Amino acid sequence: MGRYVARRLLQMIPVFIGTTLLIFLMIRGLPGDPIRALWGDKIPDPSQLAALRHQFGLDKPLWQQYLDYMGGLFKGDFGVTVAGRPVSEQMSQAFPVTIRLTIMAMIFEMVIGLALGVWTGMRRGGAADSFVLVLTLLVISTPVFVLGYIFRQVFATWLGWVTPTVQNSTDIAQLVLPAIVLGSLSLAYVARLSRTTVAENQRADYMRTAMAKGLPRRRIVVNHLLRNSLIPVVTFLGTDFGALMGGAVVTEGIFNIQGVGGALYQALIRREGTTMVGIVTILVLIYLAMSLIIDLLYAVLDPRIRYA
């Protein structure tokens, strides 16, 4: 197991370098000059413009800018914005909010999605199964921003259960509705995926053997059926964690949440490439870490899987 983990960590190095290089080049290639934007409609002094570009290293070749960025990154320095604010300080305020929102959305989709999937999978072909299939298909077909505005209109404007926008991003109670909106699409996929795997495994030979032995139904479902059906669901949930953090831009915009989405959007408007690269770099690291954790969980769920 230790050798497998070490090999996976080594494989992550070229993936991380290649991904960050691609992102760095794409963001640097965006139109607009963040230094020139500091003057607004006024004509800047060419000497001041050149001095600021030299200060932020924008007068260097792209390859040298990337090497300087990676060198600072390994020291824990994500650079500074054109306004002089450290990017790490900005991310330290934005990421905890988005992580909190993402965890709440993950809990929502795991609990409700797995419950619906197991329930309908064991009653495949019934009225409840058909209803859940239609409902999840409807959720999948609805864009997140439409779903967000519908939920806000119903639960905030009509029913008055919550405020239309989040007043305090650190208040967990105010993040419940945005978390439900953020996790709804993934919940639909989890429900359909777990339903399919449960229905398939229910007809497997080991299930018939367990029932023939007279084992309690609850033990059969939990220890045999559910455990063997979770592998594809865990794969989806692991990759979905990073996707939810990156996809929280729309949800955070609808509910005015001051998280990674808002910080990334503001950085894009101001063409602050350092902030965008820093945020995306952390998201890449989260994807890589979740991928490794998922692979290790396979051996926990299925004893037949072993890593030499």
Side-chain angles (χ1 to χ4, degrees):
M1 178 69 76
R3 298 176 65 180
Y4 172 79
V5 173
R7 187 168 65 249
R8 284 296 307 272
L9 291 175
L10 290 175
Q11 291 174 354
M12 288 181 181
I13 296 176
V15 174
F16 175 73
I17 294 176
T19 306
T20 52
L21 176 61
L22 179 62
I23 294 169
F24 186 88
L25 294 177
M26 290 176 62
I27 292 178
R28 292 299 186 192
L30 290 175
D33 186 352
I35 305 298
R36 174 65 180 81
L38 293 175
W39 278 266
D41 296 332
K42 299 180 181 179
I43 299 177
D45 181 32
S47 60
Q48 294 179 345
L49 196 64
L52 285 175
R53 283 177 176 165
H54 178 73
Q55 177 183 345
F56 290 99
L58 298 178
D59 56 344
K60 299 178 181 179
L62 280 177
W63 63 269
Q64 190 171 355
Q65 293 183 38
Y66 176 73
L67 291 180
D68 291 342
Y69 173 77
M70 293 299 292
L73 186 63
F74 286 115
K75 298 176 183 178
D77 182 14
F78 287 87
V80 295
T81 65
V82 292
R85 183 185 182 188
V87 176
S88 57
E89 178 185 332
Q90 187 174 4
M91 292 194 300
S92 66
Q93 297 177 356
F95 265 97
V97 176
T98 301
I99 290 175
R100 193 180 300 114
L101 178 65
T102 302
I103 291 176
M104 293 175 64
M106 288 285 293
I107 293 174
F108 169 69
E109 70 178 70
M110 282 192 297
V111 174
I112 306 299
L114 283 175
L116 287 176
V118 174
W119 183 50
T120 55
M122 298 182 65
R123 296 166 176 80
R124 188 171 183 176
D129 181 32
S130 301
F131 174 76
V132 171
L133 283 177
V134 172
L135 182 62
T136 53
L137 182 61
L138 179 63
V139 173
I140 293 173
S141 305
T142 306
V144 175
F145 68 91
V146 175
L147 198 64
Y149 281 116
I150 292 175
F151 274 53
R152 193 176 69 173
Q153 182 71 20
V154 173
F155 295 102
T157 305
W158 294 352
L159 299 178
W161 292 355
V162 294
T163 56
T165 57
V166 175
Q167 307 299 323
N168 183 8
S169 299
T170 61
D171 186 1
I172 295 180
Q174 297 187 31
L175 295 178
V176 171
L177 185 61
I180 292 175
V181 173
L182 181 62
S184 293
L185 178 61
S186 299
L187 181 148
Y189 282 117
V190 169
R192 296 175 72 92
L193 182 61
S194 56
R195 167 197 173 272
T196 302
T197 55
V198 166
E200 290 177 353
N201 287 324
Q202 199 172 12
R203 299 191 297 267
D205 293 337
Y206 68 87
M207 287 294 297
R208 288 194 290 266
T209 302
M211 288 186 288
K213 288 181 178 180
L215 296 177
R217 180 176 177 82
R218 182 176 180 179
R219 183 178 177 184
I220 294 175
V221 172
V222 175
N223 293 354
H224 298 277
L225 179 61
L226 187 58
R227 190 171 181 178
N228 285 278
S229 302
L230 278 180
I231 290 181
V233 179
V234 167
T235 303
F236 174 81
L237 290 174
T239 56
D240 190 50
F241 186 83
L244 287 177
M245 291 195 65
V249 177
V250 177
T251 305
E252 291 180 356
I254 294 174
F255 293 96
N256 192 32
I257 301 174
Q258 305 303 317
V260 171
L264 194 60
Y265 177 74
Q266 293 299 325
L268 181 61
I269 294 298
R270 295 191 295 263
R271 295 296 187 269
E272 291 183 352
T274 306
T275 303
M276 289 187 284
V277 173
I279 291 175
V280 177
T281 298
I282 297 298
L283 293 177
V284 170
L285 290 173
I286 292 174
Y287 267 108
L288 293 175
M290 291 305 299
S291 175
L292 177 60
I293 293 174
I294 291 169
D295 287 346
L296 297 179
L297 280 177
Y298 288 160
V300 176
L301 293 173
D302 192 343
R304 295 171 297 179
I305 299 177
R306 286 293 179 265
Y307 297 115

